[in-house]
Structures are given as structure tokens and as C-alpha cells.
Amino acid sequence: MAAQGESNDALLGQTTCGTLLHELQIIWDEVGQSDEDRDRMLLQLEQECLDVYKRKVDQAAKSRAVLLQSLADARAQLVRLISALGDNSLPGIRIPDKSTGTIKEQLAAVTPTLDHLCKQKEERIKEFTQVQLQIQKIRGEITRERATGVPQVDEQDLSLEKLDEYQSQLKELQKEKSDRLRKVHNLVSTVHDLCAVLGMDFFGTVSEVDPSLNDSSSASIQSKSISNETLAKLSNILSTMKEDKLKRLQKLRELATQLMDLWNLMDTPNEERNSFSHVTCLISAGVDEVAGPGVLALDVLEQVEVEVQRLDQLMATKMKEIALKKQLLLEDIYARAHLKVDTSAAFESILVVIDEGSFDPSEMLQEMEKLVEKAREESMSRKEILDKVDRWMLSCEEESWLEDYSQDQNRYNASRGAHKNLKRAEKARILVNKIPALVDTLATKTRVWEAERGTPFNYDGVPLLAMLEEYMLLRNNREEERRRLKDQKKFQERANSSTTNGGTGSKRHSMNQNGSRSASRNGQRNAARPSAPVNYVAIAKDDTASHVSSNNPAGSGSP
């Protein structure tokens, strides 16, 4: 190889433009070429040489231009990559200076940096693609819109800041997906519980929403549908089931209430009632407290409804007895409320309907219950006033007893039980002193009651205000009579002090005076008793006495 190189150099050294021109001159001499031809041929030869040099220079210029363009492209690509990847993600990367080195040296200096940045760009694009694919997937799960193909990555902005934005979006979507999965799980669990209570097919119910919901395995949790459509359907189904649960519970409560009413009316034994205890226990239960398999299933409702119908038919034979019991109850309520109400007409019409056989037991019971409920409401509205009437009557009884006691000349004797009567008298005086205030309060409340209802307050058929006015009038008359007797007594005492002792005239005068005193004492005793008219005093003497005895151990009958 070395020898061949040396021979080529020798050949090149021997064959030059000069040697060739000399050889051409020898040939021209031998041929006899004219000088004009020789000059022309030399000019042609010189032109051909210039053309060759020119082509070589053009080729060199083009090659230089290509290298410059490559360098410019490399620099431009380097600028674009640095701009796309971001300065923060490229520590130490700088564009080489144009003024240092040849073109090839500059290109050689740019190329490694450019190759590094291209690889970094490809890796960054993969990162963007992966994040955007996950974002696209989760959004598709939420909106149920299937995305086709790989998401387009904006290669003009591949900075870490932009990547962080996508990663933040992905984290938010992942959190939303987790929240939706939890919400779907809670909704499905609630639907499961409601299906159990209502006796419905759980798997069939959730499969209508989305087939992925009927798989409860842990591996399928992440694959459950979390779309807006699924959540909306689950919410709608859940709302419908809750309404259905409430309606069934209300229906079951109504049936259970009717059942208990029928049991109570017909004195049904506990053994028969226990077979429906799982239903009657729901009467006072809240909606959220009702749980258990098939508690509100349709067959349970049908079973209770059939039982109610059976008892309704059985009760028809006992309706007359029930009607009579209701009438007695109504009369008792009115009697306790001291109301005179004729209940016979209403119940006679009920008995006529029963005899005709064209009646609905449930409706009839409701009508009778309405009458009883109305009477109870009326009684409750009168309770406060009636309690005060009872206190007034009791005070009047004590007032009467106190008058009798005050007329007893032996009340201060040391007899058995005298101290008890003294204590009772002290308490009686306290009650009697409170009577005017009690009557005023009672009258005020009665007027308010009458103004609110637009009807008079009657006590056993007599207006209570009239009773109170009459009582106060009689009480005032008694007070005046007491003052008159007291003044008369003082006058007689003064008259007695001026008469002489002994003689028939004195004895006769003394007898008249004693007789007058006896008559006065009887009149005063009668005036001291409760002055309410006989026709409206509804408290029996025995009841009053027992009531007084219970409130005061020192009764009038005590020894």
C-alpha cells in the first residue's frame, strides 16, 4: 500500500500541466500545426480549465451553503427545542457561539446538544402522551364519550410547567373518580338495603342501570361505571325506592293501625295478635329505622290487607255492640266535661245502617272515632276551666262546712277530734278567702274561651258566667245578712244590759230573745252554704266529701 502511494505521487509529480503542454508542443511540431491553430487551441484549453475550476468553486460554495443551512437549521431546531422543553428543564444547555471555529466545527459542536434535546423531547412527548391518555380515559368514564386514537401533544410547549398542569388535572380527575366510585358504592349499597326491605331483585335493579354494578368483587371496583348518567340513574332509582318505601310504610302503618283497632274492638287474644307483631311494631318506627329482609315486601302488605278485610267482615257482626260502647264512651266524656249533648240520634242512625247491612265497617268506625275525638277535643278545651270549677265547688263545700262549724257552740270544747276540726277550719278559711279571686279568674278565662269559640260555656246546661254571677250575688247577700245580724246582736246586748233581773216579763223577754237568736242562727247557717242553684251543682255530696277528705285528713266526720 505504501509503495502504491509512492508510485501515484511519482506519477502525479511527472504528469503536470507543463509536461502535458510540452508534449502537446512536440506533437504540434511534428504535425506542423499553425500558430493560429495553436493559439486557438491554447485559448480553448485555458477556457476548459477555467470551467473546471469554476465548477469546483460552485460545488464548494454549494457544499458550504448546505453546511451553513444545516448549521442554521440545527441552531433553529436547538432554539425551538429549548423553547419547547423550557429553560428550567435544561440546566447547562447553551447555544454554541457562531464566531468560534469553522462551519464543520460549529456544526459538530451543535450536533451532540441537538441529539440530546431530541431524545429528551421524545421522552417528554411520551410523558405528555401518557398523562393525557389517563386524563382522556377518566373523562371518558365520566362523560361516557369514547375517545378514539392517541391524544395530540402540543410539541410547541413541552415544559415541565405544562406537564405539571396536566398532572394536576390528572390528580383532580383521579380524586373525582375516587369520589364518584365511593358515591356509586354508597348508592349501590343503599339500593341493596332498600331492595332487601322492599323484597326486590337487587341484581336486576342495578343491572338496568349498568351491568358493571352487579359485580361486588373487589377486582371490579375500579371498573364500575362512574358516569354522570350512571349516577343520575342511581339517584333516580334511589329516590323512587325511598318514595316507594315511605308509601308502603304509610300503607302498612294504616293497615296495622286498623288491625290493632279491630283487635281492641273485638278483644282479639294475644296469640292471634303475635302473628302480626312484625307489622304492628312498625307503627311508631321512623322510615330510617325500618330494616330487615322483606319487611315492606308486597306480599307482607297483601297479607295484612287480607287480614284486615277478614276482621272487617267479622266485625260487622259486632258493630251494634261496638256502637253502643262508643255511645257510652261519648256520653261519659261529655258527662265528665259537664256537657249536655244528645248522642242518641247519631247512634240510632248508625244502628239503622247496621240493620240494613249497607255499611262500610271501617268508615263507620272512623265516623264513630271522629265523634269521640271531637268530644275529647271539646273536653280538653274545657279542662282548665273545669279544674278551676272543681276548686270553686270544693271551696264552696268548705265554706258551707266552715259556716256549720262556726255555729257549733261546742267547737272549742276539749272533745275528741276537736284539734283536727280546728286545723280544717284554718285551711277552710284560707280557701274561702281565695274564693273571690278564684271566681274572678274563672270568669275571665270563661270569657276568653267564649270569645275564641263564639259560644257560651255551659256547665251541665247552665251558663257558667250566670252561675258565677249568681254565686257572687248570694255571697254578697250573705255578707250583708251577717253584718245585719251582727248589728242586731249588738243592739240586743245593749238592750239586755238596761233591763232588770228576774220577773215574768224578763223571762218572757229572754225567751223571745233566745228564740230570735235561734232563728237568726238557722238563717245564718243556711246563708253560709254554697248558694249555687240546685239545678247546676253537679258535684255529689259524697264525692265532694271524699275529695275534701283526701285533701284534708282532718275531715268533718273525724271524732
Side-chain angles (χ1 to χ4, degrees):
M1 293 294 292
Q4 185 177 359
E6 291 176 357
S7 62
N8 291 334
D9 292 339
L11 181 59
L12 291 172
Q14 293 175 0
T15 306
T16 62
C17 291
T19 58
L20 291 173
L21 183 60
H22 179 70
E23 186 177 354
L24 184 59
Q25 290 286 347
I26 292 173
I27 294 172
W28 281 344
D29 289 339
E30 292 179 355
V31 173
Q33 193 77 21
S34 63
D35 292 335
E36 294 179 356
D37 291 336
R38 290 183 180 187
D39 293 337
R40 182 174 51 78
M41 293 180 68
L42 286 174
L43 289 172
Q44 183 180 1
L45 183 60
E46 184 177 358
Q47 185 64 40
E48 290 177 356
C49 288
L50 287 174
D51 291 340
V52 170
Y53 277 107
K54 187 178 181 180
R55 286 197 299 272
K56 292 298 183 181
V57 171
D58 290 341
Q59 290 176 358
K62 289 180 180 179
S63 177
R64 183 186 63 181
V66 171
L67 287 175
L68 287 173
Q69 185 63 44
S70 298
L71 181 60
D73 293 342
R75 287 178 179 276
Q77 186 178 4
L78 190 62
V79 171
R80 288 194 300 270
L81 287 172
I82 291 175
S83 176
L85 295 173
D87 293 337
N88 295 334
S89 62
L90 303 171
I93 298 296
R94 295 291 182 271
I95 300 176
D97 192 0
K98 295 182 180 180
S99 62
T100 58
T102 64
I103 297 174
K104 288 186 176 180
E105 288 175 349
Q106 294 181 34
L107 187 60
V110 171
T111 300
T113 303
L114 188 62
D115 292 341
H116 173 71
L117 292 180
C118 287
K119 290 180 180 178
Q120 193 165 357
K121 176 183 177 181
E122 291 177 359
E123 293 175 357
R124 192 69 59 81
I125 289 174
K126 289 180 180 178
E127 290 181 284
F128 271 85
T129 303
Q130 184 179 6
V131 173
Q132 288 181 251
L133 277 173
Q134 295 182 56
I135 292 174
Q136 179 178 285
K137 179 183 177 183
I138 296 177
R139 283 179 176 170
E141 292 176 354
I142 293 174
T143 61
R144 255 188 179 175
E145 295 178 359
R146 289 189 173 275
T148 57
V150 179
Q152 295 294 326
V153 178
D154 182 10
E155 297 186 7
Q156 301 300 320
D157 189 357
L158 298 173
S159 62
L160 290 177
E161 290 83 357
K162 191 67 175 179
L163 184 60
D164 288 340
E165 290 181 11
Y166 279 113
Q167 288 175 341
S168 297
Q169 291 181 23
L170 179 60
K171 288 181 180 178
E172 291 178 1
L173 288 172
Q174 288 173 338
K175 182 179 181 302
E176 183 177 356
K177 179 179 179 178
S178 177
D179 294 341
R180 284 173 174 261
L181 281 172
R182 189 181 303 108
K183 188 173 182 179
V184 167
H185 174 72
N186 292 336
L187 289 173
V188 170
S189 298
T190 307
V191 170
H192 178 271
D193 296 339
L194 287 174
C195 284
V197 173
L198 299 175
M200 297 173 60
D201 179 17
F202 165 69
F203 292 107
T205 302
V206 295
S207 295
E208 292 180 0
V209 178
D210 193 276
S212 65
L213 301 178
N214 62 9
D215 190 355
S216 59
S217 61
S218 58
S220 66
I221 292 178
Q222 294 296 325
S223 63
K224 291 185 181 296
S225 175
I226 59 171
S227 67
N228 294 330
E229 182 182 359
T230 297
L231 288 172
K233 286 184 177 180
L234 280 175
S235 298
N236 291 336
I237 287 178
L238 195 57
S239 177
T240 302
M241 294 180 72
K242 286 182 178 179
E243 291 178 1
D244 195 15
K245 179 183 179 182
L246 179 59
K247 290 179 181 178
R248 292 192 188 184
L249 180 59
Q250 290 174 345
K251 179 64 175 177
L252 198 61
R253 283 173 176 169
E254 293 175 1
L255 293 172
T257 302
Q258 295 178 24
L259 203 59
M260 293 189 68
D261 291 340
L262 293 169
W263 286 341
N264 294 333
L265 290 171
M266 294 187 291
D267 296 329
T268 304
N270 291 331
E271 294 77 10
E272 187 175 344
R273 299 188 184 196
N274 291 336
S275 59
F276 288 92
S277 59
H278 62 289
V279 175
T280 55
C281 68
L282 301 177
I283 292 178
S284 59
V287 178
D288 296 332
E289 298 174 353
V290 178
V295 174
L296 297 177
L298 290 175
D299 56 348
V300 174
L301 288 172
E302 292 175 358
Q303 181 183 5
V304 180
E305 193 168 5
V306 169
E307 179 64 13
V308 170
Q309 291 174 356
R310 184 185 73 83
L311 292 177
D312 277 339
Q313 295 174 357
L314 181 62
M315 189 189 65
T317 60
K318 299 184 178 181
M319 284 301 296
K320 284 189 177 181
E321 180 182 351
I322 294 171
L324 292 174
K325 287 182 179 179
K326 291 295 182 182
Q327 183 178 6
L328 292 175
L329 174 61
L330 196 61
E331 291 176 351
D332 181 66
I333 293 173
Y334 282 132
R336 291 176 182 274
H338 295 277
L339 283 168
K340 285 191 174 183
V341 178
D342 185 11
T343 62
S344 59
F347 283 92
E348 283 177 2
S349 62
I350 291 176
L351 294 177
V352 170
V353 173
I354 294 174
D355 290 334
E356 293 176 353
S358 57
F359 70 97
D360 184 349
S362 299
E363 292 182 0
M364 186 170 291
L365 283 174
Q366 291 177 2
E367 290 299 324
M368 289 188 286
E369 286 297 332
K370 287 180 182 178
L371 293 174
V372 173
E373 185 62 26
K374 181 180 178 182
R376 285 172 176 161
E377 291 176 359
E378 183 71 14
S379 176
M380 286 301 298
S381 71
R382 297 164 59 87
K383 184 177 184 304
E384 184 180 5
I385 294 177
L386 289 177
D387 289 343
K388 293 188 179 299
V389 171
D390 290 341
R391 288 176 55 193
W392 173 48
M393 294 291 185
L394 175 62
S395 299
C396 290
E397 290 292 331
E398 289 298 287
E399 185 181 29
S400 176
W401 177 87
L402 185 60
E403 287 292 338
D404 292 340
Y405 177 75
S406 299
Q407 301 300 325
D408 186 4
Q409 300 299 327
N410 299 321
R411 62 183 180 276
Y412 297 118
N413 294 342
S415 60
R416 184 179 180 184
H419 66 287
K420 294 183 179 180
N421 288 333
L422 285 173
K423 289 183 179 180
R424 179 179 176 182
E426 292 176 1
K427 293 181 179 180
R429 290 189 185 95
I430 295 174
L431 286 177
V432 171
N433 290 334
K434 293 180 179 179
I435 288 179
L438 177 61
V439 171
D440 289 342
T441 301
L442 188 55
T444 301
K445 290 186 175 294
T446 302
R447 292 188 185 96
V448 172
W449 187 95
E450 292 181 348
E452 290 177 350
R453 290 162 179 77
T455 183
F457 189 102
N458 291 337
Y459 188 92
D460 290 337
V462 179
L464 180 58
L465 289 176
M467 292 170 56
L468 296 173
E469 292 174 359
E470 184 177 358
Y471 169 78
M472 290 304 297
L473 179 62
L474 294 175
R475 181 183 175 90
N476 293 333
N477 291 337
R478 289 199 305 273
E479 292 295 334
E480 292 178 1
E481 180 66 16
R482 289 193 191 96
R483 286 193 294 269
R484 188 184 65 79
L485 292 175
K486 185 176 181 181
D487 293 341
Q488 183 179 358
K489 182 178 179 181
K490 290 180 179 180
F491 176 77
Q492 290 176 350
E493 289 176 353
R494 286 197 299 270
N496 290 336
S497 63
S498 63
T499 58
T500 58
N501 294 327
T504 305
S506 297
K507 291 182 180 179
R508 183 179 302 152
H509 181 73
S510 178
M511 290 176 61
N512 292 337
Q513 182 178 351
N514 290 336
S516 176
R517 288 178 181 177
S518 177
S520 299
R521 186 180 304 114
N522 292 333
Q524 187 175 6
R525 183 183 299 112
N526 293 332
R529 294 184 182 274
S531 56
V534 177
N535 60 341
Y536 67 79
V537 176
I539 301 179
K541 187 71 176 180
D542 294 340
D543 293 340
T544 304
S546 63
H547 181 65
V548 172
S549 177
S550 63
N551 290 329
N552 185 2
S556 59
S558 300

